[in-house]
Amino acid sequence: MKDTSPQTIYLSDYTAFGWTIAEMHLTFRLSPSATRVLSRIRFEPNPDAPQQPFFLHGEELKPIRAAIDGTEITPEYSAQGLTCAVPSGAFTWEAEVEIAPAENTALEGLYMSNGMYCTQCEAEGFRKITFYPDRPDVMATFTVRIEGDEPVKLSNGNPTASGEGFAEWHDPWPKPAYLFALVAGDLVNHPGSFTTMSGKEVELNIWVRPGDEGKCAWGMESLIASMAWDEKVYGREYDLDIFNIVAVDDFNMGAMENKGLNVFNSSAVLASPETSTDANFERIEAIIAHEYFHNWTGNRITCRDWFQLCLKEGLTVFRDSQFTSDMRSPEVKRIGDVIDLRARQFPEDQGPLSHPVRPESFQEINNFYTATVYEKGAEVIGMLKRLVGDDAYAKALDLYFERHDGQACTIEDWLAVFQDTTGRDLTQFKRWYAQSGTPHLSVSESFENGTYTLDFTQSTPPTPGQPDKLPQVLPIAVGLLNPNGDEIVPTTVLEMTEATQSFRFEGLSARPVPSILRGFSAPVVLDRDTPPEEKRFLLAHDTDAFNRWEASRDLGRACLSAMVTQGTAPDTAWLDALERVIRDEALDPAFRALMLAPPTQAEMAQQLHAQGITPDPDALYAASEALREAMAQRWSGWLADLRATCAVDAPYDPGAAQSGKRALGGALLSLLTRLDGGAAAQAQYDAADNMTLQLGALGCLVQAGADTAALASFAKQWQGDRLVMDKWFALQVAAIAPDAAVARAEALTRHPDFDWKNPNRFRAVFGALAMNHAGFHTKDGSGYALLADWLIKLDEKNPQTTARMCSVFQTWKRYDADRRAQMQTQLERIAARPGLSRDVTEMVTRLLS
Ligand code: TRP
Ligand code: ZN
């Protein structure tokens, strides 16, 4: 965990491991503070690898015994692993080590959560379990024996034997160590089953702590839907007799795709109408699908090295977003994904943490499980599909699975299947994997003699380590409308490859109105001086739902920008155009709910910064409030009536239809609360029979400042439910007035239920504080200082989660000199801590660079 001189690892230094592994046998003798791990591994020389000393990774292991071909040996141990002399041919390695899962607070390797044993090995956690070549290109079949009194003992693959105090598992599919998993404890299962397309029956289970059985039905439904979808859309069938999911309370991320034994953060799998919001249900459906889809994109075909992480993550995010689009509304999903990309990936790509989708160096790989690798990685695949077309995409994927099944691959392998199926040269396209930063695309237009011309210019600002940028391949989806609002040129994908490039549309009788970058067809910043009346026209008429939303969002950003920089009043022409969409009952309520949400303050800070204006968080908060107040006042005549149309009088269902209505109803309630002081919100709170309505109402009450009684009654009602209490911790910090946010967060850290070593609880308070934009950026710097105090404290226990949280400082250079200096001081204070983890050292070094 502690490392004073972190080493940088380079993609260009890749070399294959000198041995292959035919079989890996593992025995665990479980005990909280002294678990014994016995390994027996058959190594064979790898003819394709250069000569090298025999090295096995191993960290924080207590060696008990080591032997080669039955003869005890004494290897040379270091903090990273061991070396020893080995025979020139094949040999059998045996080792016994001792580890202490109960003392493992980093939640990496074998650890305990609420008395239950569980593992997390991606990326490099297996080396904390035993000595092994812990790298994704070393694949082996695993046979695992677990010895212990725990009633349930699980590992990867199929169960082969069990009895008093032991269970054995065999995984027939060769896999890298990062996909190993073990779970043991007092667990109960929610069973299910699935018959695959070739008629094989698969046993399904969701394993939970006793008491959580009632929260598994949705996860099971989502799993079955995912299995069916992957067969139907990608032709991918499941390949074991059993598929297990386990819910764990203490977990650093969302979930993990271990072969046949997915381990989930309980927040990413457990759901019930009473305890989970619609957004929770949708997220669970997506994460279950994501982890399940990894079975092919990640597990059957894995990564050669960790620089290729986007090979599995970008593709699997892309697949899970296709799945959600099919299960729900593709338009709503796309808008949500772009909101998320701009909120999380753009700041990363435009700040000190910017890195390519395929990074070329790292110190701690855990720091590269980022929005760039995941979400921009998925955008890159979306562009590839747009460029080659749906049929070629399907063919390329078939070839990918056929050619690379069982292999550890690279981005070059991935692109080659597209080149080979389409004959297209993807050399330039590959820049999307190598070049960091967000391209800016500007456009001007002209119309002459029936010919309409769009002139595009692209450029990407410099990013750390990459001063000069080359033009990217940009698929620009464009449609043209005539002045009546009819579409005269349907969506056409223009393929831009040069720094500047023109595209002509001929034979038009009148100057058209362009709808550019439909569906957000490339992850760029579009700079175009569009007159507001044209944006209102698109808001009213565009056939592309994304651009309809974007037109309004643009008007919203322009409105808030003028409010803070020129002190103007809210743009009523925009509000009136928006009103027509929101009240159009022919439109999907979920879409209307998205239209109703104004740009966030963080988004506005990004926008102003891009315009060369230093954002003032207090002014942005005031403008946001004034805008919402203006919406409420201007629309006071119909808000309540429209909200009434959102009522659902059927049993709760988390699907798109009902959740869309609740989303719109919730957005309307938030405006209504400004008019009635919280009366409607209180009524909804009192009558709510599901968490979406209950939490939505509570949020309104907190925002209205009328919160104390409702917050107290909520805590009383839900004190026994960790996941609901996370919402209680988060909501009050996120929704409270900014001048009270730091004090509230600080008070909550003294709450008896503030179990700060639990990542969900830590994030509930501090993730929420960072989301309260003006609260976190309080002028006196107290928000920064409080967070830094806690990051320093958490780093001693859990470097991975601490390092991830450091990224809330990634926008620090945007702000005024005072705030900048305060954030810099806190980052330097963290950096100066003796014994700081490698994870956090790398993050703060990059942030300060
Ligand atoms: N591979 C996992 C996913 O994308 C994420 C993951 C990586 C992870 N490292 C982790 C999850 C550490 C938990 C802990 O789904
Ligand atoms: Zn993943």
Side-chain angles (χ1 to χ4, degrees):
M1 191 159 69
K2 302 284 158 58
D3 191 337
T4 41
S5 58
Q7 282 212 327
T8 302
I9 320 283
Y10 296 92
L11 167 59
S12 53
D13 286 347
Y14 173 82
T15 47
F17 184 59
W19 291 262
T20 58
I21 297 178
E23 270 207 73
M24 162 74 158
H25 288 262
L26 276 170
T27 299
F28 288 81
R29 300 200 174 121
L30 296 175
S31 152
S33 51
T35 288
R36 287 288 171 98
V37 184
L38 290 77
S39 58
R40 196 174 78 244
I41 312 172
R42 184 79 186 156
F43 284 102
E44 289 167 12
N46 177 0
D48 302 329
Q51 230 20 75
Q52 58 195 274
F54 182 74
F55 172 77
L56 299 179
H57 294 105
E59 291 176 13
E60 295 161 52
L61 305 172
K62 182 167 152 200
I64 305 294
R65 189 183 96 92
I68 287 180
D69 290 333
T71 306
E72 300 244 346
I73 57 155
T74 310
E76 210 171 295
Y77 294 104
S78 73
Q80 281 76 44
L82 65 77
T83 52
C84 65
V86 296
S88 58
F91 61 92
T92 299
W93 163 269
E94 285 171 282
E96 180 169 351
V97 302
E98 191 176 291
I99 52 181
E103 275 122 64
N104 180 350
T105 58
L107 315 183
E108 191 185 55
L110 178 67
Y111 66 95
M112 300 196 77
S113 173
N114 291 316
M116 157 187 165
Y117 292 89
C118 57
T119 56
Q120 172 55 43
C121 293
E122 187 176 6
E124 300 180 332
F126 192 74
R127 62 191 63 180
K128 294 178 166 184
I129 293 175
T130 192
F131 292 104
Y132 197 71
D134 186 8
R135 36 186 293 168
D137 59 344
V138 175
M139 297 166 84
T141 54
F142 280 57
T143 301
V144 177
R145 179 183 166 90
I146 308 168
E147 298 175 3
D149 299 333
E150 293 66 27
V152 175
K153 296 182 275 292
L154 308 172
S155 190
N156 316 89
N158 298 315
T160 47
S162 63
E164 223 7 71
F166 80 97
E168 289 178 2
W169 294 79
H170 175 72
D171 183 357
W173 301 103
K175 67 166 175 292
Y178 84 85
L179 291 172
F180 167 80
L182 176 154
V183 170
D186 181 12
L187 298 167
V188 290
N189 67 319
H190 177 105
S193 79
F194 183 77
T195 307
T196 71
M197 59 190 187
S198 69
K200 271 189 18 188
E201 172 108 354
V202 181
E203 176 187 335
L204 310 176
N205 290 298
I206 298 182
W207 296 93
V208 297
R209 284 166 42 200
D212 284 336
E213 303 90 322
K215 293 181 173 182
C216 300
W218 179 247
M220 184 57 75
E221 218 180 289
S222 302
L223 174 60
I224 291 168
S226 306
M227 295 178 87
W229 187 92
D230 213 17
E231 291 188 347
K232 184 168 140 254
V233 180
Y234 280 84
R236 298 295 107 202
E237 188 175 0
Y238 187 62
D239 54 4
L240 291 167
D241 304 338
I242 186 166
F243 187 83
N244 286 312
I245 286 177
V246 184
V248 174
D249 285 332
D250 300 283
F251 204 69
N252 281 332
M253 308 247 259
M256 180 62 212
E257 70 264 24
N258 318 298
K259 184 79 188 190
L261 179 53
N262 288 0
V263 176
F264 274 63
N265 186 320
S266 50
S267 77
V269 53
L270 300 182
S272 75
E274 297 72 35
T275 58
S276 313
T277 63
D278 291 332
N280 295 150
F281 276 89
E282 183 174 338
R283 175 169 178 264
I284 288 166
E285 179 182 77
I287 297 183
I288 297 246
H290 179 98
E291 306 310 334
Y292 176 72
F293 296 161
H294 268 315
N295 190 55
W296 275 94
T297 52
N299 302 3
R300 289 286 286 260
I301 304 180
T302 193
C303 302
R304 186 193 71 173
D305 55 70
W306 291 118
F307 297 102
Q308 320 295 330
L309 183 58
C310 64
L311 179 80
K312 71 176 178 83
E313 295 304 346
L315 178 54
T316 305
V317 171
F318 181 69
R319 276 153 49 70
D320 84 55
S321 69
Q322 287 181 300
F323 169 77
T324 299
S325 299
D326 283 357
M327 303 300 285
R328 294 165 180 262
S329 151
E331 292 82 11
V332 168
K333 171 65 174 162
R334 187 63 188 143
I335 295 167
D337 281 352
V338 176
I339 291 173
D340 183 63
L341 191 78
R342 286 178 174 155
R344 300 194 303 114
Q345 200 276 327
F346 278 25
E348 188 167 274
D349 226 358
Q350 295 164 25
L353 301 179
S354 186
H355 56 276
V357 170
R358 180 170 72 176
E360 271 147 31
S361 68
F362 62 75
Q363 290 176 352
E364 172 50 64
I365 185 58
N366 282 331
N367 290 336
F368 287 84
Y369 285 75
T370 60
T372 298
V373 169
Y374 276 65
E375 275 75 28
K376 189 177 177 182
E379 290 296 319
V380 171
I381 292 172
M383 285 189 287
L384 194 52
K385 182 162 178 281
R386 225 163 271 129
L387 289 168
V388 302
D390 295 352
D391 292 345
Y393 175 82
K395 282 205 191 79
L397 268 285
D398 287 345
L399 179 60
Y400 180 62
F401 293 123
E402 186 194 310
R403 187 185 279 178
H404 294 297
D405 187 12
Q407 298 177 2
C409 295
T410 61
I411 288 304
E412 283 74 15
D413 295 326
W414 163 253
L415 290 175
V417 301
F418 282 85
Q419 297 204 147
D420 294 350
T421 39
T422 63
R424 212 177 234 271
D425 179 359
L426 293 171
T427 313
Q428 186 185 1
F429 186 81
K430 197 177 166 189
R431 285 177 194 158
W432 277 109
Y433 288 99
Q435 198 163 272
S436 55
T438 314
H440 285 240
L441 179 64
S442 60
V443 52
S444 62
E445 70 217 79
S446 57
F447 182 70
E448 222 177 310
N449 303 325
T451 298
Y452 180 68
T453 307
L454 288 171
D455 298 300
F456 289 100
T457 301
Q458 61 162 306
S459 73
T460 304
T463 52
Q466 291 189 352
D468 303 308
K469 305 287 186 177
L470 296 166
Q472 306 267 40
V473 183
L474 304 181
I476 308 171
V478 172
L480 301 180
L481 308 184
N482 74 13
N484 302 328
D486 302 322
E487 188 166 82
I488 42 165
V489 173
T491 306
T492 309
V493 179
L494 310 176
E495 198 176 318
M496 183 176 186
T497 55
E498 309 291 323
T500 66
Q501 207 168 333
S502 302
F503 297 89
R504 258 176 283 288
F505 299 85
E506 277 156 17
L508 303 177
S509 52
R511 184 189 189 96
V513 176
S515 167
I516 298 171
L517 208 67
R518 283 186 158 179
F520 202 64
S521 60
V524 301
V525 174
L526 180 62
D527 298 319
R528 177 166 180 262
D529 255 330
T530 313
E533 53 281 8
E534 195 177 307
K535 285 184 194 156
R536 290 197 297 272
F537 177 89
L538 289 171
L539 164 52
H541 300 293
D542 205 326
T543 55
D544 181 74
F546 173 80
N547 265 5
R548 223 176 158 186
W549 171 83
E550 180 80 322
S552 182
R553 195 74 163 195
D554 264 340
L555 287 162
R557 284 185 288 254
C559 165
L560 282 164
S561 172
M563 288 170 77
V564 290
T565 59
Q566 297 149 46
T568 51
D571 173 1
T572 52
W574 164 51
L575 293 181
D576 292 347
L578 183 56
E579 172 180 340
R580 282 188 284 278
V581 173
I582 289 161
R583 298 180 71 184
D584 182 349
E585 291 185 31
L587 293 170
D588 178 0
F591 174 73
R592 290 187 280 152
L594 285 170
M595 295 292 290
L596 199 42
T600 67
Q601 292 157 57
E603 181 181 353
M604 287 310 301
Q606 184 163 307
Q607 158 100 2
L608 292 175
H609 174 70
Q611 292 169 232
I613 301 161
T614 302
D616 173 351
D618 299 323
L620 279 174
Y621 173 73
S624 284
E625 285 295 291
L627 173 58
R628 294 175 57 74
E629 187 64 27
M631 286 176 160
Q633 297 298 342
R634 193 168 187 85
W635 297 339
S636 59
W638 50 266
L639 287 174
D641 288 346
L642 186 59
R643 174 168 175 260
T645 71
C646 299
V648 172
D649 54 2
Y652 178 87
D653 180 278
Q658 280 194 15
S659 63
K661 282 187 163 188
R662 280 186 291 267
L664 181 57
L668 292 166
L669 179 63
S670 153
L671 291 177
L672 263 177
T673 301
R674 291 177 176 272
L675 303 174
D676 72 2
Q682 188 65 52
Q684 176 171 314
Y685 184 87
D686 293 337
D689 61 357
N690 65 67
M691 184 49 70
T692 308
L693 293 179
Q694 191 181 13
L695 197 70
L698 183 62
C700 292
L701 293 172
V702 172
Q703 242 151 13
D707 59 326
T708 347
L711 275 174
S713 86
F714 189 95
K716 194 159 166 239
Q717 182 183 353
W718 294 113
Q719 59 191 339
D721 189 307
R722 259 175 123 170
L723 295 174
V724 180
M725 286 307 285
D726 286 336
K727 299 181 200 309
W728 181 84
F729 275 90
L731 177 102
Q732 49 189 309
V733 179
I736 203 167
D739 56 1
V742 177
R744 178 63 61 93
E746 207 274 321
L748 286 174
T749 63
R750 284 183 270 108
H751 191 286
D753 291 333
F754 182 64
D755 172 10
W756 57 275
K757 289 175 208 153
N758 174 260
N760 290 358
R761 191 57 51 90
F762 189 93
R763 278 189 292 255
V765 172
F766 290 107
L769 178 60
M771 267 170 52
N772 189 322
H773 187 256
F776 178 56
H777 292 285
T778 299
K779 216 174 172 41
D780 65 7
S782 55
Y784 312 142
L786 178 68
L787 179 57
D789 286 348
W790 280 92
L791 291 176
I792 287 167
K793 185 163 165 169
L794 186 65
D795 189 49
E796 286 180 20
K797 305 287 178 199
N798 185 338
Q800 201 179 322
T801 287
T802 311
R804 289 185 80 74
M805 292 284 309
C806 287
S807 61
V808 305
F809 284 112
Q810 69 185 339
T811 55
W812 71 277
K813 288 177 184 167
R814 270 183 202 163
Y815 294 92
D816 53 88
D818 264 8
R819 288 184 171 87
R820 235 174 23 233
Q822 311 232 42
M823 282 187 268
Q824 185 174 354
T825 303
Q826 296 306 330
L827 286 168
E828 284 166 351
R829 182 160 74 92
I830 298 170
R833 289 294 293 191
L836 197 70
S837 68
R838 172 175 61 207
D839 311 55
V840 174
T841 302
E842 182 184 29
M843 290 298 281
V844 291
T845 307
R846 288 163 69 210
L847 285 165
L848 286 166
S849 71

